[in-house]
Amino acid sequence: EVQLVESGGGLVKPGGSLRLSCAASGFTFSSYSMNWVRQAPGKGLEWVSSISSRSSYIYYADSVKGRFTISRDNAKNSLYLQMDSLRADDTGVYYCARDQLGSSDYGMDVWGQGTTVTVSS
Amino acid sequence: SYELTQPPSVSVPPGQTASITCSGDKLGDRYACWYQQKPGQSPVLLIYQDSKRPSGIPERFSGSNSGNTATLTISGTQAMDEADYYCQAWDSSTAVFGGGTKLTVL
């Protein structure tokens, strides 16, 4: 079964750090570009970052640029998001999502169940 | 920055056709995707490359994209289709989502 499982969410104080992980299974992880997408409570979806299959291309939303770092370990079938200098408006559910057929042209076809990040003092 | 605009809500009687629009500057020159999200669940890809359906997505879901508007059409809308729907496109290697449309089947 193709699956993505996020972990690492939790409660953190403003200015703090958190590292999210996404474990992939059931497909050849190293062949796919991946994304992080978040959703604030009661709000819509917001793309956070993407990384190509071999980490050659990395992109960030302006809202997280300079604070978040996306990475992956293809040997461990894992995607990561290092989040530093966290702010209250970073609160939400964070999803990892796969680019279908390994390209952003085909949409994000597999999503994890999400991990919740709460930034509050 | 690029923006995609959706109506906040759309209502449709059961069995009828629902249309959800997504507007953006020259959106027709880009590929549009559509996602469905039900309460407490992760998003599901409904449409990619404007009009293609992933395997397992019912035929009643269809899409089009031309000019400045992409449209998701749900034919024979069912109660189970009540959900939030999001359009998405790429702009300069940045993914952009629309604000979402809540579809009510009543």
Side-chain angles (χ1 to χ4, degrees), chain B residues 26-55:
Chain B
K26 297 181 180 179
L27 180 56
D29 291 344
R30 312 163 191 266
Y31 283 133
C33 296
W34 290 92
Y35 301 88
Q36 177 194 66
Q37 186 181 33
K38 296 182 178 179
Q41 298 185 16
S42 302
V44 172
L45 178 65
L46 286 180
I47 297 288
Y48 66 97
Q49 288 189 334
D50 300 335
S51 60
K52 297 178 181 178
R53 281 179 289 105
S55 60

Side-chain angles (χ1 to χ4, degrees), chain A residues 100-112:
Chain A
Q100 183 177 218
L101 301 178
S103 169
S104 61
D105 285 346
Y106 299 93
M108 303 176 201
D109 69 330
V110 179
W111 295 66

Side-chain angles (χ1 to χ4, degrees), chain A residues 1 35 44 48-49 71 73 78 81 83-84 90 94 96-97 117 119:
Chain A
E1 180 191 4
N35 303 274
V48 172
S49 181
S71 63
D73 185 335
S78 293
L81 186 67
M83 304 187 296
D84 298 319
D90 293 318
Y94 284 71
C96 62
V117 172
V119 184

Side-chain angles (χ1 to χ4, degrees), chain B residues 49-103:
Chain B
Q49 288 189 334
D50 300 335
S51 60
K52 297 178 181 178
R53 281 179 289 105
S55 60
I57 300 302
E59 291 184 6
R60 65 178 182 274
F61 292 95
S62 63
S64 63
N65 185 15
S66 180
N68 294 322
T69 304
T71 302
L72 172 69
T73 302
I74 310 173
S75 304
T77 307
Q78 301 179 9
M80 69 170 63
D81 299 330
E82 193 162 281
D84 293 326
Y85 292 84
Y86 296 90
C87 60
Q88 180 253 311
W90 287 87
D91 173 66
S92 301
S93 301
T94 297
V96 180
F97 286 94
T101 298
K102 181 176 180 58
L103 178 68

Side-chain angles (χ1 to χ4, degrees), chain A residues 30 62 92 102 121:
Chain A
S30 60
D62 287 343
S121 55

Side-chain angles (χ1 to χ4, degrees), chain A residues 46-58:
Chain A
E46 180 189 14
W47 173 80
V48 172
S49 181
S50 67
I51 185 168
S52 61
S53 59
R54 298 183 180 182
S55 306
S56 301
Y57 302 97
I58 289 175

